[in-house]
């Protein structure tokens, strides 16, 4: 079986040449390798091909046969790494909390494990009869939410 760390190291060597970052590497028991990369401005197919060739040049099919798939993380997919959060600061996101509550709002800030999403909520102020819609900052932890993903606007 192909070692995931070997593949990861090869990808990181290739990534030094540009502004791409690694999102995920998976190696299945039948040696199917799936590499996900991302970039602030999107992923170009030419770069996926280049990375794929780089990996193939450094792995021997004589030693182990494998299937290789290199692609982008995908816009509608949940974020997996901090860099994806940073790339989407100011964008609208959807978060599923650990309690199963969905939040839709703007990704306001992010650092290590903490991030803040600004959502619109009805808030009732003292002395008012009706609640009003206001922006409310919701602090969250990346390690405790089920997912966060970019909300595509159509």
């Amino acid at each position: 079986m192909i070692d995931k760390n070997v593949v990861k190291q090869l990808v990181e060597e290739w990534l030094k040449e540009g502004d791409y970052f690694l999102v995920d590497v998976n190696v299945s028991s039948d040696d199917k390798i799936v590499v996900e990369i991302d970039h602030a401005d999107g992923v170009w197919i030419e770069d996926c091909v280049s990375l794929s060739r780089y990996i193939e040049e450094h792995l021997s099919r004589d030693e182990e046969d494998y299937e290789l798939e290199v692609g982008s993380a995908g816009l509608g997919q949940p974020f997996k790494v901090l860099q994806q959060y940073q790339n989407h600061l100011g964008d609208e996101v959807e978060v599923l909390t650990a309690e199963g509550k969905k939040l839709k709002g703007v990704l306001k800030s992010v650092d290590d494990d903490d991030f803040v999403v600004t959502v619109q909520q009805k808030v009732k102020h003292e002395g008012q009869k009706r609640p009003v819609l206001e922006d409310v900052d919701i602090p969250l932890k990346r390690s405790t939410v089920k997912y966060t993903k970019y909300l595509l606007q159509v």
Side-chain angles (χ1 to χ4, degrees):
M1 186 169 153
I2 294 175
D3 186 355
K4 177 180 177 176
N5 292 323
V6 169
V7 176
K8 194 173 181 179
Q9 183 178 349
L10 289 171
V11 173
E12 288 172 352
E13 287 172 13
W14 183 87
L15 292 174
K16 290 178 186 175
E17 301 299 316
D19 295 327
Y20 283 95
F21 59 92
L22 178 62
V23 174
D24 199 13
V25 172
N26 277 314
V27 180
S28 67
S29 58
D30 60 347
D31 284 334
K32 179 177 180 179
I33 304 167
V34 178
V35 177
E36 291 180 1
I37 57 173
D38 207 349
H39 188 283
D41 297 326
V43 176
W44 293 90
I45 188 71
E46 295 85 2
D47 294 322
C48 291
V49 170
S50 174
L51 175 55
S52 180
R53 287 184 180 148
Y54 183 84
I55 293 169
E56 287 176 347
E57 287 171 5
H58 292 83
L59 292 179
S60 172
R61 288 196 187 268
D62 294 334
E63 291 176 24
E64 279 193 79
D65 192 28
Y66 60 88
E67 179 183 346
L68 177 61
E69 180 181 315
V70 176
S72 69
L75 270 179
Q77 298 302 312
F79 300 162
K80 295 180 180 177
V81 295
L82 178 62
Q83 184 69 41
Q84 289 177 297
Y85 283 83
Q86 293 169 337
N87 286 350
H88 289 285
L89 279 171
D91 291 338
E92 196 163 357
V93 295
E94 178 180 281
V95 178
L96 182 60
T97 67
E99 297 80 31
K101 183 178 178 183
K102 273 191 184 177
L103 303 172
K104 291 181 182 179
V106 175
L107 185 57
K108 182 177 182 179
S109 67
V110 63
D111 63 34
D112 295 334
D113 192 43
D114 300 312
F115 68 102
V116 175
V117 175
T118 302
V119 299
Q120 289 203 323
Q121 288 184 342
K122 289 183 179 181
V123 178
K124 186 172 182 189
H125 294 285
E126 193 174 323
Q128 290 184 335
K129 291 183 180 181
R130 293 177 174 241
V132 292
L133 208 53
E134 288 185 2
D135 287 343
V136 177
D137 289 347
I138 308 291
L140 298 158
K141 292 204 172 288
R142 291 188 315 122
S143 60
T144 61
V145 298
K146 292 185 178 177
Y147 70 74
T148 303
K149 60 185 176 181
Y150 175 69
L151 199 56
L152 295 169
Q153 300 296 323
V154 283

